[in-house]
Amino acid sequence: MTVNDQDNSLMALWGILGPYLRRQRSRVVALAGLVIAGIAIYLINPLIIRRFIDQAEAGRPVATLLGAAGLYLAIAIVQQGVIVLTAWVGERASWSATNALRADLALHCLRLDMSFHKQKTPGELIERIDGDVNALGVFLSDFFLQLVSNLLLVLGILAVLWWEDWRFGLIVTLVVALAAVYVQRLRPLSTRRWARVRAASASFYSFLEERVSGREDLLPNGAALYTLRQMQRRLRALFLAWRSAEIVNAAIVSTPNLSFGLAMAGAYALGDSLFADGAVTLGTIYLVFSYVDLINDRSWRLVDEIHHLQESQASIGHIAELLRQRSRLADAGAGDLPAGPLTLAFDDVTFQYEDDTTPVLHDIRFTLPAGSVLGLLGRTGSGKSTLIGLIFRLTEATAGRVRLGGMDVRDVPLRALRGRIGMVTQQVQLFGASLRDNLTLFDPDVPDERLIAALNELGLDSWFAGLPQGLDTPLQPGGSGLSAGEAQLIAFARVFLRDPDLVILDEASSRLDPATEQLLERAVTRLLAGRTAVIIAHRLATVEHADQILLLEQGRVLEQGERARLAADSASAYGQLLRAGAGLADWELLDA
């Protein structure tokens, strides 16, 4: 790594953290003042001891010596206070900045389109958002306190040594310069190796997250041993990358020993000669050795900070790369959707992934009137999920227009668009928190009275009455301890509280146990009342609420129309499936 590369890294660091540090301006200014005060104290203390030694050697009165000793003790007490206060202010400033960066980075990733999330696993993103930012936070919390302050202290010591005697200054300066060149030569090697460590770590956590999420499929199918072998392979790659980086780091760590030995030897030889000639006092000899010892101590800390710098440079690169990612979905719309239930229309919509030659959806055209319910049918891979993603603008239509409330969804701000749509899926995400927090998604401004009224209106009052602690009932992460039906009830109440104008149900009753299915049917009826809705179905019984049917096959509209008319038509695909008593898995009946 050249000097320009290092400058670029520091510029990249400032480009990322600068806006956050500017918010901490008062703390940064206070920190700068404390660092300068600390450096001054470190330089003054040896001068006081030198004065004490010279006065004692000259036979000065005891009162004079006690005054010097008292001054030293007072400054030492002040020094401890400055050290504690510097650490406190530095930690507050650095971690406030990096925590804000972590939050903005997570929000940035959430705003990216689905093409990005198809390329990045959750485990890799967690390592980037938390692991890399944490490494940056550790470095930043020590950067000003250690790297900058220690560099300034070494420069201050060299200046005092040159002032005392240019020969002492020259010897120690040459040793420090040689050590700096040595470390500079090894830095590029170390940086590249720490970048590999971060990459191997991201790969491991990505693999771990994916396998833990799929444990219900892996364990019954005998893939546990294979998974462990794969995990061992990734751990080995992480270990080898870490070992390689630490070998180079050990070579850098040896620098203080070498520089300390050379500086001490040179200072001892020169000091002995000058003292014998009467050119310097005993106190001055002590001063020189004290400063050399202080440089040695700070060299160790500088080496440690350089080690953190290597890690942080890799993290800076990863974070900068993530921030450079841009969503393909423009959010420049300024239109307002009309109030109330929304019409939904697809005007010759085609969708195709950039890296694919075959469209996922072909010329989809339909109109769903406001307040109506659409039953969206089709076998796996027919394009149902893609169609829903276009409504939310998780992806963008390649051709045609998706209109909601008569407006092109691209003309509506994303936040406003998604705020008018509610969705319940088969996989309900529950958090390790109270029922209240799971219903409000941690919004403290929603009153309990509104939550209870929503549960009652959905017909869930009897279910709610059976909970041991009411709204304070704790839920386990992932809904552990709840039946699939109970989890769905919470999801329905959560959407109902948002009061959306378009509701999407993705086979939301497919996992229900018989005891709660009737209860949820009442909740579905109430939720859909006065709203436009799309019900994605894998069972024909699920679309009994639908006014219209849209049947997809290989990304094309196979059939569309009013549900009652298609059910009565013996030639329709929907009618044939109904009369055969078949589910959507039995499409070979239609093929025949």
Side-chain angles (χ1 to χ4, degrees), residues 419-466:
R420 299 287 295 277
I421 306 173
M423 185 170 181
V424 181
T425 65
Q426 297 181 55
Q427 302 296 330
V428 179
Q429 180 61 59
L430 296 179
F431 303 94
S434 66
L435 172 63
R436 177 189 295 102
D437 289 335
N438 273 279
L439 289 173
T440 65
L441 293 180
F442 304 95
D443 184 353
D445 297 327
V446 182
D448 290 356
E449 294 76 13
R450 186 183 170 197
L451 300 180
I452 296 174
L455 293 171
N456 291 339
E457 192 166 355
L458 285 175
L460 306 179
D461 46 339
S462 59
W463 171 80
F464 176 70

Side-chain angles (χ1 to χ4, degrees), residues 6-27:
Q6 296 169 33
D7 291 341
N8 290 337
S9 295
L10 292 177
M11 289 178 62
L13 174 64
W14 176 249
I16 292 171
L17 288 174
Y20 301 99
L21 289 175
R22 281 192 286 269
R23 301 175 194 172
Q24 309 286 325
R25 187 177 291 107
S26 60
R27 288 175 179 164

Side-chain angles (χ1 to χ4, degrees), residues 154 176 255-256 259 294-304:
V154 169
V176 171
T255 304
S259 61
L294 189 56
I295 288 179
N296 174 64
D297 176 66
R298 297 300 158 166
S299 296
W300 280 106
R301 300 189 186 187
L302 282 171
V303 166
D304 190 45

